[in-house]
Amino acid sequence: MRQTPAGGADGGTATADGQLVSIGTVLTLLRDEFPEVTVSKIRFLEAEGLVEPQRTPSGYRKFSQEDVERLGCVLRLQRDHYLPLRVIREYLDALARGEQLPLPAPGQPRDLLDGAAELDAEGPTAVQVGREELLGATGVTERELDEWESYGLIEPNSGGGYDVEAVTVAKLVADLGRFGLEPRHLRAMKAAAVREAGLVEQVVAPLRRHRNPQTRAHAEATARELAALSVRLHAALVAAALRA
């Protein structure tokens, strides 16, 4: 079990008497400082290698005092320093090995969750590209782009430009087209994406209305985490359906 480094944590939360506790108890211990934390969030951090709880023979997670303190440290570094999970993991693991490292430079609020690591885009989501840039980056024709826009697969913003996600969408639509899938076939995917986005918005809306500025800032990270999980679930469901 990795020890929880104190660096950058600004304090910590411990379990009573050093007992191993359930994930529900961990949630209760963390909620006072991190009201937005959820069981799904803790499981996500485990999946990302930020914490390694023990398992009972029945498969239930059991967390030690060090696990809870490490989780508190991770959440604090996300909230206060806007660090991606990858950076936090490397930083805490180095400290656990006894290496003395300075706290990594703060990131931007959009980096609160490395979950975008799964969605993808290294660059800021605020970047815009023009129509010619989009065509050049994807290799599609004006006619194809017009058709995709008519089906709502790609939408320009009010200024006529496109978000970086539009480049990714255009490339994927083009790749699917090589297998004979036309824009009309992809409308169901677009509709499903809109519904999923609506579900994410229902979850993060209360965070955005929170009085605490840090909680409001964390809403974007939560949305990105939920989006990443949604993408993974969609991929798993498609794989399961194909096997069936």
Side-chain angles (χ1 to χ4, degrees), residues 62-199:
K62 288 296 182 180
F63 295 80
S64 66
Q65 174 179 332
E66 289 78 11
D67 292 329
V68 180
E69 290 177 349
R70 185 177 173 95
L71 283 169
C73 184
V74 170
L75 294 170
R76 221 168 275 116
L77 287 170
Q78 276 194 299
R79 182 195 64 195
D80 300 341
H81 299 277
Y82 305 118
L83 297 176
L85 293 181
R86 174 183 54 80
V87 174
I88 293 174
R89 181 174 59 247
E90 292 172 355
Y91 172 67
L92 295 183
D93 287 349
L95 289 180
R97 291 191 299 268
E99 300 175 23
Q100 297 301 315
L101 300 176
L103 191 66
Q108 297 299 318
R110 63 182 176 82
D111 293 326
L112 276 172
L113 181 65
D114 235 2
E118 301 178 28
L119 292 178
D120 168 307
E122 292 284 330
T125 56
V127 170
Q128 303 288 314
V129 297
R131 189 176 182 84
E132 291 302 320
E133 291 175 298
L134 177 61
L135 293 172
T138 58
V140 303
T141 65
E142 286 271 7
R143 181 177 179 179
E144 288 173 321
L145 183 56
D146 286 341
E147 183 180 15
W148 297 348
E149 289 181 345
S150 71
Y151 282 98
L153 299 175
I154 294 177
E155 299 176 359
N157 58 33
S158 58
Y162 300 84
D163 295 331
V164 290
E165 288 85 356
V167 177
T168 301
V169 170
K171 289 180 178 178
L172 292 171
V173 171
D175 287 341
L176 289 168
R178 297 189 185 99
F179 292 90
L181 292 174
E182 300 177 7
R184 61 189 175 87
H185 300 137
L186 306 179
R187 287 184 297 181
M189 294 186 184
K190 169 70 174 183
V194 171
R195 288 194 296 271
E196 289 174 18
L199 290 174

Side-chain angles (χ1 to χ4, degrees), residues 189 196 230-244:
M189 294 186 184
E196 289 174 18
S230 177
V231 169
R232 291 166 60 184
L233 174 60
H234 180 80
L237 290 173
V238 171
L242 288 173
R243 284 196 300 273

